[in-house]
Amino acid sequence: MSLLVANIPWPGPEGDPCPAIRARLQLPAGAALHFELVKRSVDGRRRPPQWLANYRVELEASALEQQVLRAPPHGVRAYNHRDHQRFDREDQPADRGAAPARWPAGLRPIVVGAGPAGLFAALRLGEAGAPAVLLERGGPVEERHHAVRKFWRHAELDLDTNVVFGEGGAGAFSDGKIYTRRRDGELGWIFRRLVDFGADPEILEEGWAHLGTDRIRAILPRLRARLIELGVEVRFHAAVAGLLVEGGRCVGLLLTGGEELRGAPVIMATGHSARDVWAAMLAAGAAAEQRPIHIGARVEHPQQIIDQARYGTARGELPPASYRLTSHPRALRGEAPPRAAHTFCMCPGGTVVGATNEPGRVVVNGMSYSKRQAWWANSAVIVEVRPEDYPGPDPLAGARYQDAIEQRAFAAGGGAFRAPAQRVVDLLAGKTSAELPRTSYTLGVTPADLREVLPPPLIAGLLAAIRHFDRQIPGFAGEEGVLIAPETRTTAPLRFARGEDLESPTLPGLMPVGEGAGYAGGIVSAALDGDRAARSIIERASALAARDRAPTA
Ligand SMILES: Cc1cc2nc3c(=O)[nH]c(=O)nc-3n(C[C@H](O)[C@H](O)[C@H](O)COP(=O)(O)OP(=O)(O)OC[C@H]3O[C@@H](n4cnc5c(N)ncnc54)[C@H](O)[C@@H]3O)c2cc1C
């Protein structure tokens, strides 16, 4: 039996939490206990704000255990053997996937896309001994770093190696938020591998962990080296242009240079910006349906406004404060209520970045470095978009809706990827800002009325949300808040159908995976989905290997 003892003041890396744990458990001073830090986080609601930690505790004497279990104090939870596994740091059998002793000939998986979904799918396959191929349309992260810098500084866009395309996928130039409280099963495997490749071990404990763009850049080459060591063929500048279909099955791919690459199953993990791949998958026979999304703008404030609102004081040694807000406006005078909205991908101490992969479009997003030291805080404020808003019933209509907004934003920004921007107070007052404060968006901002960029229902949802958020974060709607638009690529506006084995029911051999397929909404969920697809292939390989070994009559 283990005990989870929650919300103990964290004494710092060198400090001893035992006195506080004993006090919580009402144990005598000196009672022996073994403990492990499970998670720590800042409680910004306390005044002053405080670091709190959760510990897993084992008591040495069972009499003490019985005493605690008879009347568990508040904030203490007992775990039975099954729950125990939540805290295991070692791989569990289910984690590893039952890999066949010898990979069956004829099963050659191809993974498309080196984002989190594709990378973790390739890693799982490589660890199982699969002769997998990983195709990536962009360059390796070192090259990508230069291409992105060129874009952010000089507005020179590379269509295949940019903020969303290239090794690491859309998450490579991000805040690298990997917020999840769980570390069990496959999640544990993903987190441990991240640490193996250079992530700070704190991510194994911190519920609100983030990697930071600089750390991600260091992790990716090590992950690539491991893939190559495992025998995975990693190919950069290898863009998929079409699918090879024979007898109603996907049997391989056509690359942009004209090369035909045979192999299956194909794990298609090309993210939410590869609209050309969606068209190719649909043309080949994969079924998909429309899906609701959220669209809005990035709001940027000086970080100190957020610290003051959250901590009630300057932050001192505490991490830059963050927020997560939602708005569900009520109907007024019998009218339909403005649409629901929420903040998304908040980047404390971060910057707003240009994140398009296409010419003539402006798309913004947010990122930060591991130390989160920028002067600003930003977050997307996004409003629900429904399939009935889309200009047609087909699966690509949502992408056309996004694209129209991105093109209007390009025009309103005045070209060269300058983004249209408006002070929050001016959006509320219904006027274009006369001038704008300095922002972190390096490509430049142009004063504009966001009503020219975002459709009316989104503006109404944005206005209601901002008024509501200002009550929770004083200054949110103040003079210094700026909206930079548009944030359109929050997720995919369509979802590809798939069966239990994660293959397309209308195009077997194709596995639509990750955010672009409509099954993930962030780095961790994409990595998990890629891993699921790989484990499904490994299961099949094991069954094939067992069949080949079985004696024939
Ligand atoms: C600036 C920014 C900040 C973000 N911040 C966070 C964050 O802090 N936390 C978080 O959880 N999420 C964040 N996200 C979202 C996160 O990055 C995505 O959810 C995640 O990367 C999706 O993973 P994926 O593997 O499904 O797709 P992607 O990461 O999009 O990867 C797809 C890959 O496929 C490749 N590809 C595309 N087309 C082809 C083709 N035809 N042939 C070959 N390869 C192709 C692309 O080059 C790309 O590398 C952020 C995104 C952006 C853009």
Side-chain angles (χ1 to χ4, degrees):
M1 186 70 72
S2 295
L3 300 167
L4 179 73
V5 185
N7 296 335
I8 296 286
W10 184 56
E14 307 299 331
D16 178 12
C18 286
I21 295 175
R22 286 194 198 98
R24 172 69 63 79
L25 294 174
Q26 297 160 14
L27 297 176
L33 40 89
H34 300 285
F35 66 89
E36 181 188 7
L37 180 68
V38 174
K39 184 191 121 180
R40 68 187 177 85
S41 53
V42 173
D43 184 351
R45 288 164 308 178
R46 295 194 185 208
R47 294 288 178 265
Q50 202 177 13
W51 278 105
L52 297 177
N54 292 358
Y55 294 92
R56 169 187 152 189
V57 176
E58 308 274 358
L59 299 175
E60 223 162 54
S62 67
L64 286 180
E65 196 173 280
Q66 291 311 315
Q67 175 193 319
V68 173
L69 291 181
R70 262 195 304 276
H74 180 69
V76 176
R77 198 173 137 196
Y79 279 83
N80 61 24
H81 177 69
R82 213 170 134 258
D83 287 338
H84 229 133
Q85 295 183 352
R86 293 162 59 93
F87 304 108
D88 282 354
R89 293 279 189 255
E90 298 304 313
D91 278 0
Q92 293 152 26
D95 270 2
R96 288 191 289 268
R102 182 195 287 246
W103 192 265
L107 193 61
R108 187 194 188 206
I110 305 179
V111 182
V112 190
L119 285 170
F120 277 89
L123 182 62
R124 182 69 91 173
L125 287 167
E127 288 186 2
V133 184
L134 174 63
L135 303 177
E136 167 54 53
R137 86 192 290 161
V141 70
E142 298 86 348
E143 179 188 323
R144 205 177 161 196
H145 175 60
H146 293 295
V148 168
R149 207 164 47 177
K150 231 174 168 181
F151 176 56
W152 285 345
R153 288 200 183 158
H154 308 295
E156 289 172 30
L157 177 67
D158 182 318
L159 300 186
D160 286 316
T161 303
N162 48 53
V163 181
V164 285
F165 289 165
E167 187 180 26
F173 293 86
S174 76
D175 187 49
K177 275 180 280 296
I178 41 176
Y179 293 172
T180 155
R181 278 180 297 159
R182 287 179 41 210
R183 295 289 186 274
D184 56 336
E186 291 73 38
L187 264 178
W189 176 75
I190 289 167
F191 275 81
R192 283 191 297 279
R193 290 297 175 272
L194 285 171
V195 171
D196 292 345
F197 300 130
D200 190 327
E202 271 206 348
I203 67 164
L204 298 175
E205 290 151 9
E206 178 73 74
W208 298 91
H210 88 117
L211 297 166
T213 290
D214 44 336
R215 284 293 175 97
I216 296 173
R217 207 181 297 147
I219 290 169
L220 288 168
R222 295 189 191 132
L223 172 47
R224 183 202 318 153
R226 178 68 182 143
L227 288 174
I228 294 168
E229 187 181 85
L230 288 167
V232 175
E233 187 185 339
V234 181
R235 292 179 59 180
F236 293 110
H237 302 295
V240 167
L243 286 74
L244 299 178
V245 179
E246 283 175 9
R249 296 187 68 83
C250 176
V251 294
L253 297 160
L254 175 68
L255 307 193
T256 44
E259 180 189 350
E260 284 193 0
L261 184 68
R262 290 191 166 258
V266 170
I267 294 182
M268 196 66 91
T270 46
H272 59 25
S273 290
R275 294 168 177 164
D276 52 350
V277 177
W278 291 336
M281 288 163 74
L282 292 165
E289 61 182 13
Q290 295 183 343
R291 185 169 173 254
I293 53 171
H294 287 80
I295 286 180
R298 277 268 148 187
V299 65
E300 184 168 80
H301 298 94
Q303 176 66 47
Q304 69 178 60
I305 290 185
I306 311 302
D307 292 341
Q308 187 65 40
R310 281 325 219 188
Y311 294 151
T313 169
R315 78 167 180 269
E317 295 297 307
L318 293 165
S322 63
Y323 55 82
R324 196 184 263 197
L325 307 169
T326 54
S327 153
H328 294 282
R330 276 179 303 185
L332 284 176
R333 293 182 295 276
E335 289 170 14
R339 294 190 182 183
H342 62 274
T343 61
F344 173 74
C345 187
M346 200 259 153
C347 299
T351 55
V352 180
V353 295
T356 186
N357 60 307
E358 289 170 89
R361 276 101 179 141
V362 167
V363 179
V364 301
N365 213 307
M367 62 156 270
S368 72
Y369 293 96
S370 56
K371 298 223 182 310
R372 286 181 163 165
Q373 282 174 331
W375 189 76
W376 294 273
N378 72 71
S379 169
V381 182
I382 49 174
V383 184
E384 55 169 328
V385 177
R386 303 164 184 157
E388 61 259 32
D389 298 325
Y390 298 160
D394 58 298
L396 290 177
R400 292 198 299 278
Y401 181 90
Q402 289 173 309
D403 194 52
I405 293 175
E406 294 165 10
Q407 292 196 43
R408 282 201 297 274
F410 188 88
F417 304 102
R418 293 175 66 83
Q422 190 170 18
R423 283 185 191 263
V424 177
V425 282
D426 292 333
L427 181 75
L428 292 172
K431 60 175 191 188
T432 303
S433 301
E435 42 71 51
L436 295 165
R438 196 164 74 87
T439 74
S440 65
Y441 184 79
T442 56
L443 287 154
V445 288
T446 303
D449 185 350
L450 296 191
R451 286 171 180 79
E452 289 167 19
V453 176
L454 299 172
L458 303 196
I459 292 287
L462 208 54
L463 289 171
I466 287 166
R467 289 192 187 103
H468 180 59
F469 297 164
D470 192 52
R471 289 196 281 277
Q472 295 169 55
I473 305 224
F476 197 94
E479 271 290 316
E480 292 182 89
V482 185
L483 288 153
I484 306 173
E487 177 105 7
T488 42
R489 312 266 181 103
T490 50
T491 193
L494 78 177
R495 172 175 284 148
F496 281 85
R498 57 187 200 188
E500 283 275 291
D501 55 2
L502 272 62
E503 287 199 18
S504 162
T506 55
L507 187 59
L510 175 71
M511 299 174 105
V513 162
E515 182 147 36
Y519 291 93
I523 295 168
V524 173
S525 56
L528 268 178
D529 202 48
D531 178 45
R532 269 183 79 196
R535 283 185 296 114
S536 171
I537 296 175
I538 294 166
E539 242 171 63
R540 193 182 320 171
S542 299
L544 283 173
R547 198 192 58 192
D548 291 347
R549 272 201 318 273
T552 43

